[in-house]
Amino acid sequence: MQDLTLILNTAEKRIQFLICSGGSVLCAEDWLAQRGGTELLAPALRDAFNRLGMKPAELARIACVAGPGNFTGLRIGLTTASGLARAVQAKQAGLDYLQCLAFNACARPGEEVLVMTNARKGLAYCARFRADENGVPRAEGRTFLLPLPPVPEGFDLGAPDFVLGSALSSNRAYLAPLFPEKTRLLPASADTPTTASLFAAEQLADWDSLDGTDPAP
């Protein structure tokens, strides 16, 4: 297998990993990270490689979601990624969790996506993305923390084409009236990156420029 790649996501309530090669997803697993759920990551990876008839030593690249998200979850994902990368001499890359989610909107060129995920109590991580000519969500401005509810007086949420994320699901009744009618509020099923979204986000990594250091959370 050429360019065998592992993609990890442990940013929120679900644990996800993909094993990919040559533009194809060979294996994808996803489970709810209940108490102790993240401890299943290493055994699940071992089982996946065994079922594929492969060895972790064949990995050339490891991409791990680096946040923003749950501190404990991110720490476990990034530690697993860095330890494995050191053991097999694989390149590492960090992925933006909010951009991974923005891929879920399947926005057309020029459309804006607002991603809102739960942070500490009463706060949400937010970022705006606009789809480029290929439909790839590109960040517009920096990720920011937004208190809600309520949204601070005078803060304008704008008129995005799509809104999604766990903070929207947690505050849908409050947030829905604040957006114009044209804005599409995606359901809770969009709160976790799909296999296709994680795969697409990994394709954006500039592997040739990476120096082998651990991704910064």
Side-chain angles (χ1 to χ4, degrees):
M1 289 291 177
Q2 298 296 317
D3 297 325
L4 193 65
T5 301
L6 172 66
I7 306 172
L8 295 169
N9 171 38
T10 57
E12 284 198 277
K13 293 183 178 180
R14 303 197 70 83
I15 308 300
Q16 298 173 285
F17 71 80
L18 281 61
I19 300 174
C20 313
S21 179
S24 298
V25 177
L26 306 179
C27 174
E29 294 200 21
D30 179 326
W31 67 90
L32 184 63
Q34 296 175 327
R35 185 175 180 180
T38 50
E39 296 172 7
L40 299 174
L41 178 56
L45 285 169
R46 180 182 59 196
D47 180 64
F49 278 103
N50 286 339
R51 286 186 285 113
L52 289 170
M54 298 177 175
K55 297 180 180 180
E58 298 177 58
L59 283 169
R61 308 187 300 196
I62 301 174
C64 185
V65 169
N70 176 275
F71 173 78
T72 301
L74 289 173
R75 181 179 61 182
I76 291 173
L78 289 167
T79 299
T80 300
S82 64
L84 189 54
R86 281 174 167 74
V88 303
Q89 300 300 304
K91 291 184 177 180
Q92 294 186 77
L95 305 180
D96 183 329
Y97 182 57
L98 303 186
Q99 186 178 35
C100 291
L101 285 171
F103 273 102
N104 283 0
C106 297
R108 293 176 295 184
E111 290 185 323
E112 182 185 352
V113 182
L114 173 61
V115 181
M116 311 175 76
T117 62
N118 289 319
R120 298 184 299 276
K121 186 176 181 180
L123 293 170
Y125 295 115
C126 301
R128 300 182 189 277
F129 298 86
R130 191 170 299 278
D132 66 14
E133 64 275 10
N134 297 312
V136 175
R138 303 289 184 178
E140 293 200 319
R142 302 183 64 177
T143 298
F144 58 95
L145 277 171
L146 179 67
L148 68 94
V151 171
E153 185 176 352
F155 184 87
D156 184 9
L157 288 170
D161 296 282
F162 298 90
V163 183
L164 67 134
S166 56
L168 168 65
S169 296
S170 299
N171 301 277
R172 183 174 291 266
Y174 169 75
L175 288 171
L178 304 183
F179 293 103
E181 186 176 345
K182 71 139 186 149
T183 297
R184 284 160 281 186
L185 307 182
L186 299 191
S189 58
D191 291 355
T192 301
T194 64
T195 295
S197 294
L198 288 172
F199 183 76
E202 182 273 327
Q203 300 297 300
L204 300 179
D206 184 4
W207 293 100
D208 291 336
S209 69
L210 298 171
D211 59 6
T213 57
D214 296 342

